[in-house]
Amino acid sequence: MQSFEIRNLFLDYFVSHGHEHVKSSPLIPKDDPSLLFTNAGMVQFKRVFLGEEQRPYSRATSCQKCMRAGGKHSDLENVGFTARHHTFFEMLGNFSFGDYFKREAIFFAWQLLTEHFRLPKEKLWVSIYKDDDEAADIWEKEVGMPVERIVRLGEKDNFWQMGDTGPCGPCSEIIIDQGEDFGCGKPDCSVGCDCDRFLELWNLVFMQYNRDEEGKLTALPKPSIDTGMGLERITAVLQGKKTNFDTDLFQPIISEICSVLNVSYGRERKTDVSIKVIADHIRASTFLIAEGLIPSNEGRGYVLRRIIRRALRHIKLLQYDRVAFYRFVEPVIESLGTIYPEIVSERKRIEKIIKVEEERFLRSLERAQQIFDEILENLKKSGSKVLPGEEIFRLYDTFGLPFDLIKEMAQDSCLELDEIGFHRQLNKQRERARAASKAQEIGIDEVYKELRSGNHDFKFTGYTDYEAETIIHAIIKNGKTVKILEKGEEGEVFLYETPFYAESGGQVGDTGIIISGSGKAEVFDTKKIAGLHCHKVRVIEGSIKKDEKVFAKIDIERRKAIARNHTATHLLHAALRVVLGEHVKQAGSLVAPDRLRFDFTHFDALSDAELQEIESIVNEKILENLPVIVEVKSLNEALNEGVIALFEDKYEDTVRVVKILGFSKELCGGTHCKSTGEIGSFYIISESSVASGIRRLEAVTGVSALEYANRYREQIKNISQILKSAEPVKAIQRLINELKSKQQEIEALKDKLLSHSIDGFVRQARDIDGVKALAVKLEGVDTKSLRALSDKLREKLHPAVILLASKTDGQGILILSVTKDATSKYDAGKLLKNITQAVGGKGGGRADSAQGGCPDAASIDKAVEIFYELIKQH
């Protein structure tokens, strides 16, 4: 049975038993700071299990993309060395939200495994929680599982909980005995052993309790079911393979790896480990990049970088020194592209990002090798044979070298590693990261949760209305609910009905006023907290009270300006994809009343021609006055229509689709113009880099665009007046050409002056042990002229060591050169490095030529003294 058949059979089975097939959520979870990545099928249903969200179905099934790399649940270091560990994998699961419980979950699993997957009953075992007599009775008396194949285990193995507090319960694992060939050979090998003989296939979690902060368990009013079965694992079992890597999920990738790297799979364990790592990591990299993640030095991007670089290390271990990893994206797409079409549409971008990261790593490797050589030289001088933990960490952290690669480099140089010191530094970094992560965690205070509880009907009417007559549901001041806010006080107001848009999706919150019979409050911002619109207010007249009837009105002109900018971002996004390519993906935005900012994935700076074309396309669409149509429909329907969705965002089952007729279709919850003509005009005011692979455009529309054009026109007018020319560009170009000509004349005169001085410089050279040593101090001579003078002096002096120093803008420039017939005795790079370090500067270079600088002009004299001392000591 092929993997796609197994996946479909599982999902179809549960659909036939009344389960809703729910599409896999993204690998990058939204609004859950406790997780780096989605690591289980239940993650997208977490709020449902907690009772914070309701779905239109009570049974669900999914095939969830999962990632276990980094954070609490990481299998990264095990990948390649075991038969079953992966970073990226697919989790098959079925879920009940207070519908069915243990009996149905057990029977569903048993029927699917034995009747549909046709696994032999006599090879199946089950584990249960030690005190779960109910599950034991179902397995023994109703399913017919022999009592000797029902194993009771403790809390560590068979009791599951979402966190330290919250929903939890016992679980039951279905296990298959794969036979002695898979075992460890120990006489006590049994269920619970770490070997592959007794392999866990499916975990059935019975969520029936809630654990409070004191650890007390209380029965849930609606017990639920959460199950998980790894697709890779069940595929290996059904295909009779010893490892997951031998299945059809991995073999096409492994075949391409062997072909490109000219290696064989299945002959040598060390080679197989590297091939498995590469095969696993290319799947992980492909899916993470498809969701918009970019390799970086922090957070999720750092995990992606580690995954890629770990794979690159194993490519290097296979004696391949060129870029290759990006070439394995193709078989991943061929294998999984029909299931996850997002990786197909992102193929070019995925390949480019991986290739760029490969090239950077190879360059880093070269720089790291230079640093390692310097460390090695210093260790030789000190007589030490141990690579210090601080240096290991520097190579690991600064240059991104995997620890195993550093270990290999050290072994090649007959060095031991201070692993304890390295892990000390690593733990310090983890503590810093943990502290930063904790500081960033988004928590919802109980006071807000209480506001959300109950059957209150809250409405946002701001898509169609600018004002509303409503009632104040609650007022919060300094984290506590209050009944009244007096004049001059600030607080947070929650309304039953509101026209105020709460900051979301890059669009800033609305401002405006709330008027009651007793007072008036200025709304200076609107946020969304615990799913509610939170109006940040300052009372400017009288007072406002809880349960009071009020009139709420937004700042209409400000909202219209925001709408112009938001609609313009949709035009801009579409124009970028037209000009630059389909790989462009939104990576962030800001929609404010005075400007818009749009971040997007692209590796190169945009040319002036590209910027002009993008700006022209947007303005053409504005002039066409295209209708902006908003439709509300199901997520699946919208995606099938080809709308642009941000995969890092979590969408509800019902979504808003914003269409600009014939040009753009995006999922968006923001406010927009009714037609593009309302935008007025569009100007790009800046383009820059935000991070590796992320570019940023800033632009203005409407009144802000007019103000920008007027400022620009005023500047041109002032320049024309200063230059006394109706054609300022031509006048400026003429002045630049004249300046260049004068500069060339000055440089020629400097060179001529220096040439006349050469004979005098030559006469100043000192003879030290048969070598001419010359140090010359100059004023205001640039680097280029110093080099030219150095070359001429080397023609006159043999063998020679020459130091040229120039005082320029309060600093010192140093050029040190050694003639070829003196390089066996003197190294220019090392000499200059010693000189600059002694005077607080920096410098280095090749054996025959080096360049550096001094922090101030006064240090030049000291540099000259040290130069002659070093030549004498050599």
Side-chain angles (χ1 to χ4, degrees):
M1 190 181 291
Q2 296 296 294
S3 58
F4 75 89
E5 295 175 290
I6 296 168
R7 188 190 293 106
N8 290 340
L9 194 156
F10 181 95
L11 295 171
D12 291 345
Y13 171 81
F14 281 103
V15 168
S16 72
H17 286 84
H19 292 65
E20 179 79 11
H21 177 195
V22 181
K23 186 182 176 184
S24 172
S25 65
L27 286 170
I28 302 173
K30 186 184 180 185
D31 294 336
D32 191 346
S34 64
L35 290 176
L36 266 178
F37 302 109
T38 299
N39 57 19
M42 61 75 58
V43 170
Q44 68 167 311
F45 304 115
K46 189 172 178 180
R47 290 183 62 197
V48 182
F49 285 126
L50 289 170
E52 297 174 355
E53 179 184 331
Q54 290 186 339
R55 299 283 179 98
Y57 45 82
S58 59
R59 300 181 175 193
T61 185
S62 69
C63 181
Q64 174 64 49
K65 299 180 292 184
C66 294
M67 184 71 60
R68 291 187 181 172
K72 295 178 184 177
H73 307 285
S74 178
D75 290 330
L76 182 61
E77 302 302 331
N78 293 320
V79 172
F81 297 96
T82 69
R84 315 289 172 201
H85 284 102
H86 301 290
T87 50
F88 171 86
F89 63 97
E90 297 175 80
M91 181 74 84
L92 301 166
N94 60 290
F95 310 88
S96 166
F97 313 118
D99 185 343
Y100 60 82
F101 199 44
K102 292 182 185 179
R103 177 173 285 100
E104 293 89 341
I106 288 171
F107 272 95
F108 281 145
W110 186 252
Q111 184 184 55
L112 180 59
L113 290 178
T114 59
E115 296 180 20
H116 294 267
F117 287 153
R118 300 182 184 278
L119 292 178
K121 295 180 182 180
E122 66 275 9
K123 290 188 177 182
L124 295 177
W125 292 59
V126 296
S127 68
I128 60 171
Y129 180 55
K130 60 185 178 64
D131 297 331
D132 193 355
D133 295 332
E134 182 185 1
D137 286 344
I138 296 170
W139 279 116
E140 181 188 353
K141 296 174 182 177
E142 300 187 44
V143 174
M145 176 69 73
V147 68
E148 63 271 15
R149 295 213 304 272
I150 302 174
V151 182
R152 291 178 182 258
L153 297 174
E155 191 163 328
K156 178 178 176 291
D157 295 296
N158 277 72
F159 196 92
W160 183 93
Q161 57 191 54
M162 190 178 292
D164 294 333
T165 61
C168 57
C171 59
S172 180
E173 296 178 347
I174 303 175
I175 296 154
I176 188 167
D177 180 359
Q178 299 195 98
E180 293 181 359
D181 290 346
F182 288 78
C184 57
K186 297 177 181 177
D188 59 346
C189 182
S190 61
V191 172
C193 183
D194 289 335
C195 71
D196 283 335
R197 175 173 177 174
F198 293 95
L199 182 70
E200 176 204 332
L201 289 179
W202 203 343
N203 189 17
L204 315 178
V205 178
F206 311 131
M207 285 197 283
Q208 63 188 97
Y209 302 110
N210 183 64
R211 189 190 297 272
D212 64 21
E213 292 178 354
E214 296 178 357
K216 183 182 176 182
L217 297 178
T218 306
L220 291 171
K222 288 186 176 181
S224 298
I225 292 294
D226 161 29
T227 84
M229 176 166 61
L231 174 65
E232 291 77 6
R233 188 169 291 197
I234 187 63
T235 300
V237 170
L238 293 175
Q239 292 181 359
K241 304 297 184 182
K242 273 205 160 189
T243 80
N244 296 355
F245 293 94
D246 298 322
T247 67
D248 68 318
L249 286 164
F250 285 93
Q251 279 302 302
I253 305 170
I254 288 174
S255 176
E256 184 68 11
I257 290 168
C258 291
S259 174
V260 172
L261 304 184
N262 194 28
V263 292
S264 297
Y265 178 71
R267 294 183 183 177
E268 185 182 347
R269 185 180 182 279
K270 190 175 180 181
T271 299
D272 286 355
V273 166
S274 292
I275 292 172
K276 290 174 184 176
V277 169
I278 298 164
D280 172 273
H281 290 9
I282 192 61
R283 297 204 323 164
S285 303
T286 296
F287 277 88
L288 288 175
I289 296 170
E291 292 193 11
L293 198 60
I294 299 289
S296 69
N297 289 328
E298 58 185 16
R300 296 183 177 109
Y302 181 65
V303 176
L304 173 59
R305 174 160 283 165
R306 278 193 67 199
I307 290 170
I308 293 174
R309 291 191 170 186
R310 188 168 186 263
L312 299 181
R313 174 187 172 262
H314 281 275
I315 290 174
K316 185 177 184 298
L317 289 177
L318 295 175
Q319 307 301 313
Y320 196 89
D321 294 322
R322 300 188 299 280
V323 292
F325 191 49
Y326 78 98
R327 296 174 64 177
F328 308 134
V329 172
E330 178 62 28
V332 175
I333 289 174
E334 288 179 0
S335 174
L336 294 169
T338 54
I339 311 299
Y340 304 104
E342 62 266 27
I343 65 174
V344 179
S345 60
E346 296 292 326
R347 173 186 167 179
K348 288 183 180 178
R349 194 175 66 87
I350 296 166
E351 289 177 336
K352 184 168 185 179
I353 288 174
I354 291 176
K355 188 177 182 182
V356 168
E357 185 67 13
E358 284 191 85
E359 291 167 345
R360 284 178 177 164
F361 181 66
L362 291 176
R363 290 196 296 269
S364 291
L365 202 56
E366 289 179 11
R367 293 198 300 272
Q369 186 65 56
Q370 293 173 356
I371 299 298
F372 183 81
D373 290 343
E374 290 179 11
I375 296 169
L376 187 61
E377 185 176 338
N378 291 332
L379 290 176
K380 285 178 180 177
K381 289 178 182 177
S382 66
S384 175
K385 290 286 186 180
V386 178
L387 185 60
E390 293 84 355
E391 298 293 5
I392 300 171
F393 184 75
R394 181 157 70 109
L395 292 167
Y396 172 86
D397 190 56
T398 304
F399 296 97
L401 296 191
F403 177 77
D404 289 345
L405 180 56
I406 300 169
K407 191 173 184 178
E408 182 184 305
M409 292 164 68
Q411 287 172 345
D412 290 343
S413 302
C414 300
L415 292 176
E416 296 177 15
L417 275 78
D418 174 18
E419 292 194 35
I420 294 174
F422 166 70
H423 287 293
R424 189 184 300 118
Q425 295 294 324
L426 193 61
N427 287 332
K428 285 181 181 178
Q429 184 197 57
R430 285 173 178 163
E431 286 300 323
R432 289 192 296 268
R434 208 172 285 128
S437 175
K438 190 174 182 181
Q440 291 174 359
E441 285 188 5
I442 302 168
I444 299 175
D445 292 340
E446 288 299 321
V447 67
Y448 298 112
K449 290 182 180 179
E450 289 173 9
L451 295 183
R452 190 173 58 194
S453 63
N455 297 317
H456 305 297
D457 187 17
F458 299 102
K459 290 182 181 178
F460 169 63
T461 60
Y463 288 132
T464 54
D465 300 325
Y466 293 147
E467 58 189 48
E469 288 189 355
T470 182
I471 295 172
I472 294 178
H473 168 56
I475 302 173
I476 293 177
K477 180 183 176 184
N478 298 327
K480 295 181 180 179
T481 56
V482 297
K483 292 184 177 180
I484 189 170
L485 283 179
E486 303 282 1
K487 182 178 179 180
E489 290 186 316
E490 292 187 3
E492 299 170 346
V493 170
F494 295 82
L495 306 174
Y496 282 105
E497 187 175 294
T498 180
F500 286 80
Y501 182 87
E503 181 180 337
S504 179
Q507 179 174 326
V508 298
D510 278 333
T511 62
I513 56 169
I514 294 175
I515 302 173
S516 71
S518 58
K520 181 178 181 182
E522 171 196 5
V523 179
F524 57 84
D525 198 3
T526 311
K527 304 278 188 183
K528 190 172 284 187
I529 300 178
L532 302 175
H533 283 61
C534 171
H535 307 79
K536 307 274 187 177
V537 306
R538 183 183 300 108
V539 179
I540 54 178
E541 292 179 16
S543 63
I544 57 171
K545 303 171 187 175
K546 182 183 183 304
D547 298 325
E548 193 175 22
K549 190 174 182 179
V550 295
F551 173 73
K553 183 178 181 181
I554 67 170
D555 182 331
I556 298 172
E557 291 308 313
R558 183 176 181 274
R559 164 73 81 82
K560 287 181 178 179
I562 293 169
R564 285 192 287 270
N565 282 331
H566 204 153
T567 303
T569 64
H570 286 226
L571 290 175
L572 174 59
H573 194 182
L576 284 164
R577 291 167 70 89
V578 169
V579 176
L580 303 179
E582 294 295 310
H583 68 277
V584 168
K585 177 190 282 285
Q586 182 176 337
S589 68
L590 170 69
V591 181
D594 60 333
R595 65 194 170 100
L596 67 91
R597 187 180 72 215
F598 192 80
D599 297 344
F600 58 98
T601 53
H602 190 64
F603 266 94
D604 304 312
L606 274 64
S607 67
D608 289 341
E610 287 171 332
L611 289 170
Q612 285 180 9
E613 186 177 0
I614 291 162
E615 192 174 81
S616 295
I617 290 172
V618 173
N619 280 302
E620 283 172 14
K621 298 306 173 185
I622 291 170
L623 287 172
E624 289 175 22
N625 198 25
L626 301 173
V628 179
I629 302 166
V630 177
E631 298 174 343
V632 178
K633 55 184 62 181
S634 74
L635 177 60
N636 287 336
E637 186 182 358
L639 294 175
N640 289 336
E641 288 181 5
V643 301
I644 293 177
L646 304 181
F647 286 101
E648 64 270 23
D649 280 356
K650 179 182 177 183
Y651 297 103
E652 302 297 333
D653 294 327
T654 301
V655 295
R656 290 179 86 242
V657 179
V658 177
K659 296 181 181 179
I660 299 175
L661 200 62
F663 188 63
S664 168
K665 285 189 291 186
E666 293 192 36
L667 299 184
C668 180
T671 60
H672 289 272
C673 302
K674 292 180 180 178
S675 64
T676 59
E678 293 179 18
I679 298 171
S681 58
F682 173 88
Y683 288 107
I684 295 172
I685 58 176
S686 71
E687 190 271 347
S688 61
S689 171
V690 179
S692 176
I694 305 288
R695 307 297 301 179
R696 170 173 291 174
L697 287 177
E698 294 196 59
V700 288
T701 66
V703 175
S704 295
L706 182 61
E707 291 172 351
Y708 172 78
N710 285 338
R711 285 196 305 271
Y712 194 84
R713 184 171 56 190
E714 189 66 23
Q715 288 174 356
I716 296 296
K717 180 182 175 182
N718 290 339
I719 292 169
S720 296
Q721 289 175 347
I722 292 169
L723 296 172
K724 295 181 173 56
S725 171
E727 295 181 313
V729 175
K730 288 183 178 179
I732 290 171
Q733 189 60 57
R734 185 173 63 253
L735 287 173
I736 290 171
N737 291 337
E738 289 176 5
L739 182 61
K740 283 182 179 179
S741 177
K742 298 297 182 185
Q743 285 175 334
Q744 287 171 355
E745 289 179 19
I746 291 169
E747 293 301 322
L749 288 170
K750 280 184 179 179
D751 289 342
K752 191 173 182 181
L753 183 61
L754 288 173
S755 295
H756 283 305
S757 304
I758 286 176
D759 290 339
F761 293 149
V762 169
R763 287 193 294 271
Q764 294 175 25
R766 303 179 189 179
D767 193 311
I768 301 175
D769 293 333
V771 173
K772 302 292 185 181
L774 173 64
V776 178
K777 292 183 290 184
L778 300 163
E779 290 278 351
V781 180
D782 60 22
T783 303
K784 183 180 176 183
S785 298
L786 284 178
R787 287 196 174 281
L789 177 59
S790 178
D791 290 341
K792 290 176 181 177
L793 287 170
R794 279 196 288 184
E795 292 173 5
K796 297 277 187 177
L797 296 168
H798 287 280
V801 183
I802 303 162
L803 175 68
L804 300 181
S806 174
K807 296 178 184 178
T808 305
D809 297 327
Q811 294 182 325
I813 303 172
L814 302 175
I815 299 288
L816 198 151
S817 56
V818 179
T819 56
K820 287 184 178 180
D821 48 6
T823 52
S824 60
K825 189 174 181 181
Y826 298 99
D827 184 303
K830 291 178 180 178
L831 277 173
L832 190 61
K833 186 174 183 180
N834 289 333
I835 293 169
T836 53
Q837 283 179 346
V839 298
K842 290 183 179 180
R846 303 190 309 269
D848 63 333
S849 179
Q851 180 180 328
C854 302
D856 53 59
S859 57
I860 286 180
D861 292 334
K862 188 176 179 182
V864 170
E865 290 176 17
I866 294 170
F867 167 75
Y868 282 119
E869 287 174 8
L870 289 174
I871 301 301
K872 290 175 183 177
Q873 293 170 8
H874 210 285

